[in-house]
Coordinates of all heavy atoms in Angstrom, one line a residue:
M7 N 0.8 -1.2 0.0 CA 0.0 0.0 0.0 C 0.9 1.3 0.0 O 0.4 2.3 -0.5 CB -0.9 0.0 1.2 CG -2.2 -0.8 1.0 SD -3.7 -0.2 1.8 CE -3.3 1.3 2.6
K8 N 2.1 1.2 0.5 CA 2.9 2.3 0.6 C 3.2 2.9 -0.9 O 3.5 4.0 -1.0 CB 4.2 2.0 1.3 CG 4.1 2.0 2.8 CD 3.9 3.4 3.3 CE 3.9 3.5 4.8 NZ 3.5 4.7 5.3
E9 N 3.2 2.0 -1.8 CA 3.5 2.4 -3.2 C 2.4 3.3 -3.8 O 2.6 4.0 -4.7 CB 3.6 1.1 -4.1 CG 4.9 0.4 -3.8 CD 4.8 -1.1 -4.1 OE1 3.8 -1.6 -4.6 OE2 5.8 -1.8 -3.9
L10 N 1.2 3.2 -3.2 CA 0.1 4.1 -3.6 C 0.3 5.5 -3.1 O -0.2 6.5 -3.6 CB -1.2 3.5 -3.2 CG -1.7 2.2 -3.8 CD1 -3.0 1.7 -3.2 CD2 -1.9 2.5 -5.3
G11 N 1.0 5.6 -2.0 CA 1.2 7.0 -1.4 C 0.8 6.9 0.1 O 0.2 6.0 0.6
D12 N 1.1 8.0 0.8 CA 0.9 8.1 2.2 C -0.6 8.5 2.6 O -1.0 8.4 3.7 CB 1.8 9.1 2.9 CG 3.3 8.6 2.8 OD1 3.5 7.4 2.8 OD2 4.1 9.5 2.8
S13 N -1.4 8.9 1.6 CA -2.7 9.5 2.0 C -3.8 8.4 1.9 O -5.0 8.8 2.0 CB -3.0 10.7 1.1 OG -3.0 10.3 -0.3
F14 N -3.4 7.2 1.7 CA -4.4 6.1 1.6 C -4.6 5.4 3.0 O -3.7 5.1 3.7 CB -4.1 5.1 0.6 CG -4.2 5.5 -0.8 CD1 -3.2 6.1 -1.5 CD2 -5.4 5.4 -1.5 CE1 -3.3 6.5 -2.8 CE2 -5.6 5.8 -2.8 CZ -4.5 6.4 -3.4
C15 N -5.9 5.2 3.3 CA -6.3 4.4 4.5 C -7.0 3.2 4.1 O -7.9 3.2 3.3 CB -7.2 5.3 5.4 SG -6.5 6.8 6.0
F16 N -6.6 2.1 4.7 CA -7.2 0.8 4.4 C -8.5 0.6 5.1 O -8.6 0.9 6.3 CB -6.2 -0.3 4.8 CG -6.8 -1.7 4.6 CD1 -6.7 -2.3 3.4 CD2 -7.3 -2.4 5.7 CE1 -7.2 -3.6 3.2 CE2 -7.8 -3.7 5.5 CZ -7.8 -4.3 4.3
I17 N -9.5 0.3 4.4 CA -10.9 0.0 5.0 C -11.1 -1.5 5.1 O -11.4 -2.0 6.1 CB -12.0 0.8 4.2 CG1 -11.8 2.3 4.3 CG2 -13.3 0.3 4.7 CD1 -12.8 3.1 3.6
S18 N -11.0 -2.2 3.9 CA -11.3 -3.6 3.9 C -10.8 -4.3 2.7 O -10.8 -3.6 1.6 CB -12.8 -3.8 4.1 OG -13.1 -5.2 4.1
S19 N -10.5 -5.5 2.8 CA -10.3 -6.4 1.6 C -11.5 -7.3 1.5 O -12.2 -7.6 2.5 CB -9.0 -7.2 1.7 OG -9.1 -8.1 2.8
E20 N -11.9 -7.6 0.3 CA -13.1 -8.4 0.1 C -14.3 -7.7 0.8 O -15.1 -8.4 1.5 CB -13.0 -9.8 0.6 CG -11.9 -10.6 -0.2 CD -12.3 -10.8 -1.7 OE1 -13.4 -11.1 -2.0 OE2 -11.4 -10.6 -2.5
Y21 N -14.5 -6.4 0.5 CA -15.6 -5.7 1.1 C -16.9 -6.2 0.5 O -17.2 -6.1 -0.7 CB -15.4 -4.2 0.9 CG -16.4 -3.3 1.6 CD1 -16.2 -3.0 2.9 CD2 -17.5 -2.8 0.9 CE1 -17.1 -2.2 3.6 CE2 -18.4 -2.0 1.6 CZ -18.2 -1.7 2.9 OH -19.2 -0.9 3.6
K22 N -17.8 -6.6 1.4 CA -19.1 -7.3 1.0 C -20.2 -6.2 0.7 O -20.4 -5.4 1.6 CB -19.5 -8.2 2.1 CG -20.7 -9.1 1.7 CD -20.9 -10.0 2.9 CE -22.0 -11.0 2.6 NZ -22.2 -11.9 3.8
I23 N -20.7 -6.3 -0.5 CA -21.9 -5.4 -0.8 C -23.0 -6.3 -1.4 O -22.7 -7.3 -2.0 CB -21.5 -4.3 -1.8 CG1 -21.0 -4.9 -3.2 CG2 -20.4 -3.4 -1.2 CD1 -20.7 -3.8 -4.2
K24 N -24.2 -5.8 -1.2 CA -25.4 -6.6 -1.8 C -26.0 -5.8 -2.9 O -26.4 -4.6 -2.8 CB -26.4 -6.8 -0.7 CG -27.5 -7.7 -1.2 CD -28.4 -8.1 0.0 CE -29.4 -9.1 -0.5 NZ -30.4 -9.5 0.5
L25 N -26.0 -6.4 -4.1 CA -26.6 -5.8 -5.3 C -27.7 -6.7 -5.7 O -27.5 -7.8 -6.1 CB -25.5 -5.7 -6.4 CG -24.3 -4.9 -6.2 CD1 -23.2 -5.1 -7.2 CD2 -24.7 -3.4 -6.0
G26 N -28.9 -6.2 -5.6 CA -30.1 -7.0 -5.8 C -30.2 -8.1 -4.8 O -30.2 -7.8 -3.6
D27 N -30.3 -9.3 -5.2 CA -30.3 -10.4 -4.2 C -29.0 -11.2 -4.1 O -29.0 -12.3 -3.5 CB -31.5 -11.4 -4.6 CG -31.3 -12.0 -6.0 OD1 -30.4 -11.5 -6.7 OD2 -32.0 -13.0 -6.3
R28 N -27.9 -10.6 -4.7 CA -26.6 -11.3 -4.7 C -25.6 -10.5 -3.9 O -25.7 -9.2 -4.0 CB -26.1 -11.5 -6.1 CG -27.1 -12.4 -6.9 CD -26.5 -12.6 -8.2 NE -26.1 -14.0 -8.3 CZ -25.6 -14.6 -9.3 NH1 -25.3 -13.9 -10.4 NH2 -25.2 -15.8 -9.2
Y29 N -24.7 -11.1 -3.3 CA -23.5 -10.5 -2.7 C -22.3 -10.5 -3.6 O -22.1 -11.4 -4.3 CB -23.2 -11.2 -1.4 CG -24.1 -11.0 -0.3 CD1 -25.1 -11.9 0.1 CD2 -24.1 -9.8 0.5 CE1 -26.0 -11.7 1.1 CE2 -25.0 -9.5 1.5 CZ -26.0 -10.5 1.8 OH -26.9 -10.3 2.8
N30 N -21.7 -9.3 -3.7 CA -20.5 -9.2 -4.4 C -19.4 -8.7 -3.5 O -19.7 -8.2 -2.4 CB -20.6 -8.1 -5.5 CG -21.6 -8.6 -6.6 OD1 -22.3 -9.6 -6.4 ND2 -21.6 -7.9 -7.7
F31 N -18.1 -8.8 -3.9 CA -17.0 -8.4 -3.0 C -16.1 -7.5 -3.8 O -15.6 -7.8 -4.8 CB -16.3 -9.7 -2.5 CG -17.1 -10.6 -1.7 CD1 -17.9 -11.6 -2.3 CD2 -17.2 -10.4 -0.3 CE1 -18.7 -12.4 -1.5 CE2 -18.0 -11.2 0.4 CZ -18.7 -12.2 -0.2
I32 N -15.8 -6.3 -3.2 CA -14.8 -5.4 -3.7 C -13.5 -5.9 -3.2 O -13.3 -6.1 -2.0 CB -15.1 -4.0 -3.2 CG1 -16.5 -3.5 -3.8 CG2 -14.0 -3.0 -3.6 CD1 -17.0 -2.2 -3.2
D33 N -12.5 -6.0 -4.1 CA -11.2 -6.6 -3.7 C -10.6 -5.8 -2.6 O -10.2 -6.3 -1.6 CB -10.3 -6.7 -4.9 CG -10.7 -7.8 -5.9 OD1 -11.4 -8.7 -5.5 OD2 -10.3 -7.7 -7.1
L34 N -10.4 -4.5 -2.8 CA -9.9 -3.6 -1.8 C -10.7 -2.3 -1.8 O -11.0 -1.7 -2.8 CB -8.4 -3.2 -2.1 CG -7.4 -4.3 -2.0 CD1 -6.1 -3.8 -2.6 CD2 -7.2 -4.7 -0.6
L35 N -11.0 -1.9 -0.6 CA -11.7 -0.6 -0.4 C -10.8 0.3 0.5 O -10.4 -0.1 1.6 CB -13.1 -0.7 0.2 CG -13.9 0.5 0.4 CD1 -14.1 1.2 -1.0 CD2 -15.2 0.3 1.1
L36 N -10.4 1.4 -0.1 CA -9.5 2.3 0.6 C -10.2 3.7 0.7 O -11.2 3.9 0.1 CB -8.2 2.5 -0.2 CG -7.4 1.3 -0.6 CD1 -6.2 1.6 -1.5 CD2 -7.0 0.5 0.6
Y37 N -9.6 4.6 1.5 CA -10.0 6.0 1.6 C -8.8 6.8 1.4 O -7.8 6.6 2.0 CB -10.7 6.3 2.9 CG -11.4 7.6 2.9 CD1 -12.7 7.7 2.4 CD2 -10.8 8.7 3.4 CE1 -13.3 8.9 2.3 CE2 -11.4 10.0 3.3 CZ -12.7 10.1 2.8 OH -13.3 11.3 2.7
N38 N -8.9 7.9 0.5 CA -7.8 8.8 0.3 C -8.1 10.1 1.0 O -9.1 10.8 0.8 CB -7.7 9.0 -1.2 CG -6.4 9.9 -1.5 OD1 -6.4 11.0 -1.2 ND2 -5.4 9.2 -2.1
I39 N -7.3 10.4 2.0 CA -7.4 11.6 2.8 C -7.2 12.9 2.0 O -8.0 13.8 2.1 CB -6.4 11.6 4.0 CG1 -6.7 10.4 4.9 CG2 -6.5 12.9 4.8 CD1 -5.7 10.1 5.9
D40 N -6.2 12.9 1.1 CA -6.0 14.1 0.3 C -7.1 14.5 -0.6 O -7.5 15.6 -0.8 CB -4.7 14.0 -0.5 CG -3.4 14.0 0.4 OD1 -3.5 14.5 1.5 OD2 -2.4 13.5 -0.1
F41 N -7.7 13.4 -1.3 CA -8.8 13.7 -2.2 C -10.2 13.6 -1.6 O -11.2 13.9 -2.2 CB -8.7 12.7 -3.4 CG -7.5 12.9 -4.3 CD1 -6.6 11.8 -4.5 CD2 -7.3 14.1 -4.9 CE1 -5.5 12.0 -5.3 CE2 -6.2 14.3 -5.7 CZ -5.3 13.2 -5.9
N42 N -10.2 13.2 -0.3 CA -11.5 13.1 0.5 C -12.5 12.2 -0.3 O -13.6 12.6 -0.5 CB -12.0 14.5 0.7 CG -13.2 14.5 1.7 OD1 -13.2 13.7 2.6 ND2 -14.1 15.4 1.5
C43 N -12.0 11.0 -0.6 CA -12.9 10.1 -1.3 C -12.5 8.7 -1.1 O -11.4 8.4 -0.7 CB -12.9 10.4 -2.8 SG -11.4 10.0 -3.6
Y44 N -13.5 7.8 -1.3 CA -13.3 6.4 -1.3 C -12.5 5.9 -2.6 O -12.7 6.6 -3.6 CB -14.6 5.6 -1.2 CG -15.2 5.7 0.2 CD1 -16.2 6.6 0.4 CD2 -14.8 4.9 1.2 CE1 -16.8 6.7 1.7 CE2 -15.3 5.0 2.5 CZ -16.3 5.9 2.7 OH -16.9 6.0 3.9
V45 N -11.8 4.8 -2.5 CA -11.1 4.3 -3.7 C -11.4 2.8 -3.7 O -11.1 2.1 -2.8 CB -9.6 4.5 -3.6 CG1 -8.9 3.9 -4.8 CG2 -9.3 6.0 -3.4
V46 N -12.0 2.4 -4.8 CA -12.3 1.0 -5.1 C -11.2 0.4 -6.0 O -10.9 1.0 -7.0 CB -13.7 0.8 -5.8 CG1 -13.9 -0.6 -6.2 CG2 -14.8 1.3 -4.9
I47 N -10.6 -0.7 -5.5 CA -9.5 -1.3 -6.3 C -9.9 -2.7 -6.6 O -10.3 -3.5 -5.7 CB -8.2 -1.3 -5.6 CG1 -7.7 0.1 -5.3 CG2 -7.1 -2.1 -6.3 CD1 -6.4 0.2 -4.6
E48 N -9.9 -3.1 -7.9 CA -10.2 -4.4 -8.4 C -8.9 -5.0 -8.9 O -8.2 -4.4 -9.7 CB -11.2 -4.4 -9.5 CG -12.6 -4.3 -8.9 CD -13.0 -5.5 -8.1 OE1 -13.0 -6.6 -8.5 OE2 -13.4 -5.2 -6.9
L49 N -8.6 -6.2 -8.5 CA -7.4 -6.9 -8.9 C -7.8 -8.0 -9.9 O -8.7 -8.8 -9.6 CB -6.7 -7.6 -7.7 CG -6.3 -6.6 -6.6 CD1 -5.8 -7.3 -5.4 CD2 -5.3 -5.6 -7.1
K50 N -7.1 -8.1 -11.1 CA -7.5 -9.0 -12.1 C -6.2 -9.8 -12.5 O -5.1 -9.2 -12.7 CB -8.1 -8.3 -13.3 CG -9.3 -7.5 -13.0 CD -10.4 -8.4 -12.6 CE -11.7 -7.6 -12.2 NZ -12.7 -8.4 -11.6
V51 N -6.3 -11.1 -12.7 CA -5.2 -11.9 -13.2 C -5.1 -12.0 -14.7 O -4.2 -12.7 -15.2 CB -5.2 -13.3 -12.5 CG1 -5.1 -13.2 -11.0 CG2 -6.5 -14.0 -12.9
T52 N -6.1 -11.4 -15.4 CA -6.1 -11.4 -16.8 C -5.8 -10.0 -17.3 O -5.5 -9.1 -16.6 CB -7.5 -11.9 -17.4 OG1 -8.4 -10.9 -16.9 CG2 -7.8 -13.3 -16.8
E53 N -5.8 -9.9 -18.6 CA -5.7 -8.5 -19.2 C -7.0 -7.8 -19.0 O -8.1 -8.4 -18.7 CB -5.3 -8.6 -20.7 CG -6.3 -9.3 -21.5 CD -5.8 -9.4 -23.0 OE1 -4.6 -9.5 -23.2 OE2 -6.7 -9.4 -23.9
L54 N -7.0 -6.5 -19.2 CA -8.2 -5.7 -19.0 C -9.3 -6.0 -20.0 O -9.0 -6.1 -21.2 CB -7.9 -4.2 -19.1 CG -9.0 -3.2 -18.9 CD1 -9.5 -3.3 -17.4 CD2 -8.6 -1.8 -19.2
K55 N -10.5 -6.2 -19.5 CA -11.7 -6.5 -20.4 C -12.7 -5.4 -20.1 O -12.8 -4.9 -19.0 CB -12.2 -7.9 -20.2 CG -11.2 -9.0 -20.5 CD -11.8 -10.3 -20.2 CE -10.8 -11.4 -20.4 NZ -11.2 -12.7 -20.0
K56 N -13.6 -5.2 -21.1 CA -14.6 -4.2 -20.9 C -15.6 -4.5 -19.8 O -16.1 -3.7 -19.1 CB -15.4 -3.9 -22.2 CG -16.1 -5.2 -22.7 CD -16.8 -4.9 -24.0 CE -17.4 -6.1 -24.6 NZ -17.8 -6.0 -26.0
E57 N -15.7 -5.8 -19.5 CA -16.6 -6.3 -18.4 C -16.0 -5.8 -17.0 O -16.8 -5.5 -16.1 CB -16.7 -7.8 -18.3 CG -17.4 -8.4 -19.5 CD -16.5 -8.6 -20.7 OE1 -15.2 -8.7 -20.5 OE2 -17.0 -8.7 -21.8
H58 N -14.7 -5.7 -16.9 CA -14.1 -5.2 -15.7 C -14.4 -3.7 -15.4 O -14.7 -3.3 -14.3 CB -12.6 -5.4 -15.7 CG -12.1 -6.8 -15.9 ND1 -10.9 -7.1 -16.5 CD2 -12.7 -8.0 -15.6 CE1 -10.8 -8.4 -16.6 NE2 -11.8 -9.0 -16.0
I59 N -14.5 -3.0 -16.5 CA -14.8 -1.5 -16.4 C -16.3 -1.4 -15.9 O -16.6 -0.6 -15.0 CB -14.6 -0.8 -17.7 CG1 -13.1 -0.9 -18.0 CG2 -15.1 0.6 -17.6 CD1 -12.8 -0.4 -19.5
G60 N -17.2 -2.2 -16.4 CA -18.6 -2.1 -16.0 C -18.7 -2.6 -14.6 O -19.5 -2.0 -13.8
Q61 N -18.0 -3.6 -14.2 CA -18.0 -4.1 -12.8 C -17.6 -3.0 -11.8 O -18.2 -2.8 -10.8 CB -17.1 -5.3 -12.7 CG -17.0 -5.9 -11.3 CD -16.0 -7.0 -11.1 OE1 -15.1 -7.0 -11.9 NE2 -16.2 -7.8 -10.1
I62 N -16.4 -2.4 -12.1 CA -15.9 -1.4 -11.1 C -16.8 -0.1 -11.1 O -17.0 0.5 -10.0 CB -14.5 -1.0 -11.4 CG1 -13.8 -0.4 -10.1 CG2 -14.3 -0.1 -12.6 CD1 -12.3 -0.4 -10.1
Q63 N -17.5 0.2 -12.2 CA -18.4 1.3 -12.2 C -19.6 1.0 -11.3 O -20.1 1.9 -10.6 CB -18.9 1.7 -13.6 CG -17.8 2.4 -14.4 CD -18.2 2.6 -15.9 OE1 -19.0 1.9 -16.4 NE2 -17.6 3.6 -16.4
I64 N -20.1 -0.2 -11.3 CA -21.2 -0.6 -10.5 C -20.8 -0.5 -9.0 O -21.5 0.0 -8.2 CB -21.7 -2.0 -10.8 CG1 -22.4 -2.0 -12.2 CG2 -22.6 -2.6 -9.7 CD1 -22.6 -3.4 -12.7
Y65 N -19.6 -0.9 -8.7 CA -19.1 -0.9 -7.3 C -18.9 0.6 -6.9 O -19.2 0.9 -5.7 CB -17.7 -1.6 -7.2 CG -17.8 -3.1 -7.4 CD1 -16.7 -3.9 -7.5 CD2 -19.0 -3.8 -7.4 CE1 -16.7 -5.2 -7.6 CE2 -19.1 -5.2 -7.6 CZ -17.9 -5.9 -7.7 OH -18.0 -7.2 -7.8
M66 N -18.4 1.4 -7.7 CA -18.2 2.8 -7.4 C -19.6 3.5 -7.1 O -19.7 4.3 -6.2 CB -17.5 3.6 -8.5 CG -16.0 3.1 -8.7 SD -15.2 3.6 -10.2 CE -15.5 5.3 -10.3
N67 N -20.5 3.2 -8.0 CA -21.9 3.8 -7.7 C -22.5 3.3 -6.4 O -23.1 4.1 -5.7 CB -22.8 3.4 -8.9 CG -22.5 4.1 -10.2 OD1 -21.9 5.2 -10.2 ND2 -22.9 3.5 -11.3
Y68 N -22.2 2.0 -6.1 CA -22.7 1.5 -4.8 C -22.1 2.3 -3.6 O -22.8 2.7 -2.7 CB -22.4 0.0 -4.7 CG -22.9 -0.5 -3.3 CD1 -24.1 -1.1 -3.2 CD2 -22.0 -0.5 -2.2 CE1 -24.6 -1.5 -2.0 CE2 -22.5 -1.0 -1.0 CZ -23.7 -1.5 -0.9 OH -24.2 -2.0 0.4
I69 N -20.8 2.5 -3.7 CA -20.1 3.2 -2.6 C -20.6 4.7 -2.5 O -20.9 5.2 -1.5 CB -18.6 3.2 -2.8 CG1 -18.1 1.8 -2.7 CG2 -17.9 4.1 -1.8 CD1 -18.3 1.0 -1.4
D70 N -20.8 5.3 -3.7 CA -21.3 6.7 -3.7 C -22.7 6.8 -3.1 O -23.1 7.8 -2.5 CB -21.3 7.3 -5.1 CG -19.9 7.7 -5.6 OD1 -19.0 7.9 -4.7 OD2 -19.7 7.9 -6.8
N71 N -23.5 5.8 -3.4 CA -24.9 5.8 -2.9 C -25.1 5.4 -1.5 O -26.1 5.7 -0.9 CB -25.8 5.0 -3.9 CG -25.9 5.6 -5.3 OD1 -25.8 6.8 -5.4 ND2 -26.1 4.8 -6.3
N72 N -24.2 4.6 -1.0 CA -24.4 4.0 0.3 C -23.4 4.3 1.4 O -23.7 4.2 2.6 CB -24.4 2.4 0.2 CG -25.6 2.0 -0.6 OD1 -26.7 1.9 -0.2 ND2 -25.3 1.6 -1.9
L73 N -22.2 4.7 1.1 CA -21.2 5.1 2.1 C -20.8 6.5 2.1 O -20.5 7.1 3.1 CB -19.9 4.2 1.9 CG -20.0 2.8 2.2 CD1 -18.7 2.1 1.9 CD2 -20.5 2.5 3.6
K74 N -20.7 7.1 0.9 CA -20.2 8.5 0.7 C -21.1 9.5 1.4 O -22.3 9.4 1.3 CB -20.1 8.8 -0.8 CG -19.5 10.2 -1.1 CD -19.4 10.4 -2.6 CE -20.6 11.1 -3.2 NZ -20.9 12.4 -2.7
K75 N -20.5 10.4 2.1 CA -21.2 11.5 2.7 C -21.2 12.7 1.7 O -20.5 12.8 0.8 CB -20.5 12.0 4.0 CG -20.2 10.9 5.0 CD -21.5 10.5 5.7 CE -21.3 9.5 6.8 NZ -21.3 8.1 6.5
N76 N -22.1 13.7 2.0 CA -22.3 14.8 1.1 C -21.0 15.6 0.9 O -20.8 16.2 -0.1 CB -23.4 15.7 1.6 CG -24.8 15.0 1.3 OD1 -24.9 14.2 0.5 ND2 -25.8 15.4 2.1
N77 N -20.2 15.7 2.0 CA -19.0 16.5 1.9 C -17.8 15.8 1.3 O -16.7 16.4 1.2 CB -18.6 17.1 3.3 CG -18.2 15.9 4.2 OD1 -18.6 14.8 4.1 ND2 -17.4 16.3 5.2
Q78 N -18.0 14.6 0.9 CA -16.9 13.8 0.2 C -17.0 13.8 -1.3 O -18.1 13.9 -1.8 CB -16.9 12.4 0.7 CG -16.7 12.2 2.2 CD -16.9 10.8 2.8 OE1 -17.8 10.1 2.2 NE2 -16.2 10.5 3.8
D79 N -15.9 13.7 -1.9 CA -15.9 13.6 -3.4 C -16.3 12.2 -3.9 O -16.3 11.3 -3.1 CB -14.5 14.0 -3.9 CG -14.2 15.5 -3.7 OD1 -15.1 16.3 -3.8 OD2 -13.0 15.8 -3.5
K80 N -16.5 12.2 -5.2 CA -17.0 10.9 -5.8 C -15.9 9.8 -5.7 O -14.7 10.1 -5.7 CB -17.3 11.1 -7.3 CG -18.6 11.9 -7.5 CD -19.0 12.0 -8.9 CE -19.4 10.7 -9.4 NZ -20.7 10.5 -9.8
T81 N -16.3 8.6 -5.7 CA -15.4 7.5 -5.5 C -14.5 7.3 -6.8 O -15.0 7.5 -7.9 CB -16.2 6.2 -5.3 OG1 -17.0 6.3 -4.1 CG2 -15.4 5.0 -5.2
I82 N -13.3 6.9 -6.5 CA -12.3 6.7 -7.6 C -12.2 5.2 -7.8 O -12.2 4.4 -6.8 CB -10.9 7.3 -7.3 CG1 -11.0 8.8 -7.2 CG2 -9.9 6.8 -8.3 CD1 -9.8 9.4 -6.7
G83 N -12.1 4.7 -9.0 CA -11.9 3.3 -9.2 C -10.6 3.0 -9.9 O -10.1 3.7 -10.8
I84 N -9.9 1.9 -9.5 CA -8.6 1.5 -10.0 C -8.7 0.0 -10.3 O -9.0 -0.8 -9.5 CB -7.4 1.8 -9.1 CG1 -7.3 3.3 -8.7 CG2 -6.1 1.3 -9.6 CD1 -6.3 3.6 -7.7
I85 N -8.3 -0.3 -11.6 CA -8.2 -1.8 -11.9 C -6.8 -2.1 -12.1 O -6.1 -1.5 -13.0 CB -9.0 -2.0 -13.2 CG1 -10.5 -1.6 -13.0 CG2 -8.9 -3.5 -13.6 CD1 -11.3 -1.7 -14.3
I86 N -6.3 -3.1 -11.4 CA -4.9 -3.5 -11.6 C -4.9 -4.9 -12.2 O -5.5 -5.8 -11.6 CB -4.2 -3.6 -10.2 CG1 -4.2 -2.2 -9.6 CG2 -2.8 -4.1 -10.3 CD1 -3.6 -2.1 -8.2
C87 N -4.3 -5.0 -13.4 CA -4.3 -6.3 -14.1 C -2.9 -6.9 -14.1 O -1.9 -6.2 -14.2 CB -4.7 -6.0 -15.6 SG -6.4 -5.4 -15.8
K88 N -2.9 -8.2 -14.0 CA -1.6 -8.9 -14.0 C -1.0 -8.9 -15.4 O 0.2 -8.8 -15.6 CB -1.8 -10.3 -13.5 CG -0.5 -11.1 -13.4 CD -0.8 -12.5 -12.8 CE 0.6 -13.2 -12.7 NZ 0.3 -14.6 -12.1
K89 N -1.8 -9.1 -16.4 CA -1.4 -9.2 -17.8 C -1.5 -7.9 -18.5 O -2.5 -7.2 -18.4 CB -2.1 -10.3 -18.6 CG -1.8 -11.7 -18.1 CD -2.5 -12.7 -18.9 CE -2.2 -14.1 -18.4 NZ -2.8 -15.1 -19.3
D90 N -0.5 -7.5 -19.3 CA -0.5 -6.3 -20.1 C -1.2 -6.5 -21.4 O -1.1 -7.6 -22.0 CB 0.9 -5.8 -20.2 CG 1.0 -4.4 -20.7 OD1 0.0 -3.7 -20.6 OD2 2.1 -4.0 -21.1
N91 N -1.8 -5.4 -21.9 CA -2.4 -5.5 -23.3 C -2.0 -4.3 -24.0 O -2.4 -3.2 -23.8 CB -3.9 -5.6 -23.2 CG -4.6 -5.7 -24.5 OD1 -4.0 -5.6 -25.5 ND2 -5.9 -5.9 -24.5

């Protein structure tokens, strides 16, 4: 986490959220003090696919609608892929 910078706070790994009648898990949920926002990180062992972008956007919307306070900025999403494309 130090490689991301000093302003990140760890909230949870495998953060459980309920979308409809199913549970999903955000790989890493962080908070950035400098930007005053949540950061959703998804870890992928494949190259980036368009489905990954849709997935992280859904997770970011969930955090914005359920955790974010009015005085906080919109959630940032980061996808880290093992394979380069």
Side-chain angles (χ1 to χ4, degrees):
M7 275 213 5
K8 283 289 187 190
E9 290 153 358
L10 293 173
D12 292 331
S13 59
F14 286 92
C15 297
F16 177 79
I17 295 177
S18 180
S19 62
E20 296 297 316
Y21 187 82
K22 188 177 183 180
I23 61 173
K24 188 171 185 181
L25 299 170
D27 61 347
R28 303 183 107 180
Y29 287 100
N30 293 12
F31 297 89
I32 296 172
D33 290 337
L34 290 171
L35 183 60
L36 309 175
Y37 191 82
N38 187 290
I39 297 167
D40 290 341
F41 292 125
N42 191 32
C43 67
Y44 287 97
V45 179
V46 172
I47 298 181
E48 280 298 302
L49 305 171
K50 302 297 179 189
V51 295
T52 63
E53 63 185 28
L54 181 65
K55 298 178 183 175
K56 61 184 174 192
E57 296 85 23
H58 300 152
I59 297 168
Q61 176 188 23
I62 201 165
Q63 287 176 331
I64 290 169
Y65 293 169
M66 292 164 54
N67 289 337
Y68 178 90
I69 298 299
D70 282 343
N71 294 330
N72 295 284
L73 291 180
K74 182 179 93 65
K75 306 287 189 272
N76 288 336
N77 65 335
Q78 295 171 329
D79 289 325
K80 290 185 66 115
T81 300
I82 295 173
I84 300 173
I85 303 172
I86 299 174
C87 296
K88 183 176 182 180
K89 293 186 179 181
D90 195 12
N91 182 354

